[in-house]
Amino acid sequence: MKNKWTMVVLAGLLLWGVPMVGIPGVAAAEDEVLPPALRGKNVDPEKLKKWQSLSEEQKERLRRRHEKWQSMDPERKEKIKNRYQRFQKLPPGRQEEIRKKWQSFKNLPEDQQAAIKERYQRWQNLPPDEKARLRQRSQRWESLSPEQKERMKEKREKWQSLPPEKRQELRKAIRDRDSHQRSMPSRRR
C-alpha cells in the first residue's frame, strides 16, 4: 500500500513540474544530461532551477567547459583559480574594464586573436630586465603629446619605407657611433 501512495505523490509532483532529481529511487529523464553537481540526493533546488532556465545552447557550452576543466592538469586548474580570486578582489570598475577588453578580444577574427596570444606568450618569456625596459619605453610613449606621437609615427613610416639594406647600413652606423662615444673618456668640468 505504501508503494502505491508513493507513486501517486510522485505522479502528482511530476504533473506540477517539480523536478524528481535527488529523490532516491527516482530517475528523471533529464538526469543523464545534468552536470555532476546537480545529480544525486543533496541537490540545491535553486541551482537546479537556474540550470533548467538555461537554453540548450548555454547548457551545452557549460557541459563542454566542464569537460575541459575535468581534463586539465592540477597546476593549470590552480592558476585559473588564483587568477579568478585576484579578479574578484578588483574594484568593480576595473572588473568591468577587463570584461569589456575580453569581449572585444573575443569579437576579433581568429587570426588576430592568435597574433595577440603569440605576443602575450613572447612577453611572458622575456627576462625581467627586458620587460622593465619595454615598460619604460611604453611610459615614455604615453607621456608624449599627440603631436609628438604623430611625428614619431611619421618617422617610423619613413624608416619602414627604406630598403632593408639601407636600414641595416644605418643601424650599423648608429652602433658604431654609440660604441665610439662609450669608448671615449668622459670630460669633467
Side-chain angles (χ1 to χ4, degrees), residues 164-177:
E165 308 82 42
K166 183 68 175 170
R167 285 189 292 201
Q168 193 63 31
E169 184 182 311
L170 289 170
R171 280 190 194 104
K172 184 181 180 329
I174 292 168
R175 277 194 305 270
D176 291 347
R177 181 199 67 199

Side-chain angles (χ1 to χ4, degrees), residues 40-87:
K41 298 177 183 177
N42 301 320
V43 176
D44 179 354
E46 285 304 309
K47 286 183 181 178
L48 184 60
K49 197 182 288 185
K50 285 180 184 177
W51 173 260
Q52 290 170 335
S53 71
L54 297 174
S55 71
E56 284 306 313
E57 180 185 337
Q58 291 169 319
K59 289 177 184 178
E60 185 54 38
R61 210 173 320 141
L62 287 170
R63 282 188 203 101
R64 285 194 306 267
R65 285 186 179 163
H66 176 75
E67 289 168 8
K68 187 175 181 180
W69 178 260
Q70 292 303 98
S71 67
M72 277 185 207
D73 60 276
E75 295 86 28
R76 176 96 172 106
K77 284 181 180 180
E78 195 60 34
K79 277 184 180 180
I80 291 171
K81 287 177 187 176
N82 290 338
R83 210 175 288 144
Y84 178 76
Q85 288 169 348
R86 282 195 320 266
F87 178 80

